[in-house]
Every structure is written in C-alpha cells, then in structure tokens.
Amino acid sequence: MLAIEKLTASYAALSAISDISFTLAKGARLGIFGHNGAGKTTLLKCIVGAHAPSRGQVVYDGVPIAAGNIAATVLRGIAFVPQGHNVFPNLSVEQNLKIAGLLFDASFVTQVYELFPVLKARGPQRAGSMSGGEQQMLALGMALMTKPKWLLLDEPCTGLAPIIIETVMKRLDDVNVRFGTGLCIVEQNVPAALKLVDRAIILKSGRVVFDGAARELEAQKDLWQWF
Ligand SMILES: Nc1ncnc2c1ncn2[C@@H]1O[C@H](COP(=O)(O)OP(=O)(O)OP(=O)(O)O)[C@@H](O)[C@H]1O
Ligand SMILES: [Mg+2]
C-alpha cells in the first residue's frame, strides 16, 4: 500500500502542496489533475523522494520513502517517468532499455517488446531520432525495465497526436492488468486519462479539492468547475 500522509512541501517561501493525504491499494489507478502550478509534479516528486516534504510523509508498504534517494525508491519498486522525453538520445533504443534494466532483469526486454512492438522494430535506431510518441513509449519501456510495482507518470501525453495518446493509454492499461502495476498519472488531457483511471484527485493551489471515482467526475456536465 502507498500512503500519502499529510504531505506539505514548499520551495523556499513558496508553498507548493499542503496537507495532502490519500492511500492507494496495490495495483490502483489514480489520475491527478489540476491547473498549471497546482502542485501535481511536486506531489509526484515527493512520492518518489525527489523533493523533501516540509511536513508529512509517504509510506510504502509500511516503510517511509527516503527523500533524496530516488535510486533507492526505484529499487523498492516505484518508477517515475518525468515530463519530456527522458531517453539517452545518442544510444540505441535497445541500449536505452538495457541500461534502464541494468540492476534488474535484462531479459524483461522481451516483455517490453511485446507491449511496445514499435520498440522492437526500432531496436538498433538512435533513440534521439525517434518521433516524440516513440520516445515517450521508450521512456515508458525504460521505466518498465525496473519491474515497478508503481508507475508514476508526469504528463505522458503532452505533445502526442490523439491516436498515439490512445495507444499510450491502452499500453498503460495492459501494464496494469498484466503485471498488476499501480498507476499514478498526472495529465492535462483529463478526458483521456479519466478513461484509464478508477480514481481522480484534483489539486487546486496545492490542496485536494476533489477525491473520488473517475466515473463520477466523468459524468459531471461541468467537470471544469473543479479547476
Ligand atoms: N524548483 C522549483 N523552485 C521554485 N518553485 C517551484 C519549483 N518547482 C515548482 N515550483 C512552484 O511550485 C508550484 C507547484 O509547481 P508544480 O510544478 O508542482 O505544479 P504542476 O501542477 O506540476 O504544474 P504544471 O501543470 O505547469 O506542470 C508552482 O507555483 C511552481 O512555480
Ligand atoms: Mg507539472
């Protein structure tokens, strides 16, 4: 279980998130939404230990996440895919995947290729020469090479064409169903993400203003009232 307990974080004098609490059962699918600057990225960074909260804590399977040691968090099974194409542009697609899985199981690349056949087809290609959507899939594939129990994704669909967004969402669904990987997805494309997740949290000025079923939010005529 992943428990976010009264999490408060700031950057110097600027408060970014305040008193956020929620728990996620193994394999849960959560969408985190909110305007620019609402604190979504800060929340993910605190969960993965990339930013130290000023109050509160994140507890994973009974043990707190240590701030400042992302590698330790990844080894514990929480992978983070930050915004943008986080691949090694000068290495091949296959080299990127193998490096990501270096401390884990290099043979898992076969399963990543099954999920993303485009990566198999492009194995020898220089990662930096792939399209935006392909690089996003590679970044996802790299995160999967760490065999995560949780996948934290910061705006994975930014800049992608609608058809590619559909593919990325479908693959995330597959990952959740096949491996039981929990998903925490921050996304500006709320309608697309709501189709994938079961639960939604909306942040406004660093606070939770909605926490409920994704279907409930989807059914609302004016869901933007929350933003
Ligand atoms: N490294 C930083 N130094 C100072 N302030 C920061 C830093 N990172 C974020 N902030 C501030 O913290 C607040 C929350 O930012 P955060 O990046 O978490 O928002 P966000 O919801 O992810 O926004 P976006 O949708 O634009 O990505 C914002 O006011 C932002 O300016
Ligand atoms: Mg952000």
Side-chain angles (χ1 to χ4, degrees):
M1 191 176 76
L2 196 55
I4 282 64
E5 300 176 350
K6 300 187 172 175
L7 209 60
T8 297
S10 53
Y11 299 96
L14 186 126
S15 163
I17 52 172
S18 306
D19 201 27
I20 296 183
S21 296
F22 57 88
T23 56
L24 295 171
K26 190 171 176 286
R29 298 146 73 116
L30 171 74
I32 301 168
F33 308 114
H35 275 316
N36 295 122
K40 306 177 298 292
T41 297
T42 304
L43 175 57
L44 291 189
K45 283 185 175 171
C46 287
I47 296 176
V48 79
H51 186 71
S54 46
R55 277 204 306 277
Q57 61 177 355
V58 176
V59 181
Y60 174 47
D61 282 350
V63 182
I65 294 290
N69 195 347
I70 304 177
T73 311
V74 174
L75 282 171
R76 287 187 64 193
I78 302 180
F80 178 38
V81 184
Q83 229 177 325
H85 308 126
N86 293 282
V87 302
F88 299 109
N90 292 322
L91 299 184
S92 74
V93 168
E94 183 145 327
Q95 283 169 333
N96 268 274
L97 290 169
K98 292 205 162 148
I99 281 179
L102 217 52
L103 296 177
F104 299 85
D105 173 8
S107 70
F108 197 67
V109 77
T110 317
Q111 299 200 49
V112 171
Y113 280 157
E114 259 175 45
L115 272 171
F116 298 104
V118 64
L119 298 183
K120 184 170 188 185
R122 302 301 179 87
Q125 189 175 330
R126 203 182 133 262
S129 67
M130 305 247 286
S131 77
E134 289 162 353
Q135 287 188 42
Q136 187 57 48
M137 288 186 216
L138 177 55
L140 266 175
M142 288 168 74
L144 288 177
M145 287 299 292
T146 68
K147 291 189 161 179
K149 308 270 188 321
W150 287 94
L151 200 46
L152 312 184
L153 303 139
D154 198 355
E155 304 201 21
C157 297
T158 302
L160 303 186
I163 181 80
I164 308 291
I165 292 177
E166 227 174 87
T167 309
V168 170
M169 292 298 176
K170 180 77 190 66
R171 291 293 89 85
L172 290 173
D173 181 72
D174 291 343
V175 167
N176 176 262
V177 172
R178 276 176 72 162
F179 308 120
T181 311
L183 304 172
C184 275
I185 177 168
V186 164
E187 192 42 69
Q188 295 287 353
N189 189 333
V190 182
L194 277 180
K195 288 197 186 80
L196 172 73
V197 300
D198 303 314
R199 178 175 173 189
I201 282 179
I202 300 179
L203 298 182
K204 195 170 186 174
S205 304
R207 290 182 184 275
V208 175
V209 292
F210 176 93
D211 180 358
R215 301 295 88 81
E216 185 193 324
L217 196 61
E218 218 175 6
Q220 294 193 2
K221 278 201 190 81
D222 183 18
L223 71 87
W224 303 113
Q225 63 165 320
W226 292 99
F227 286 73

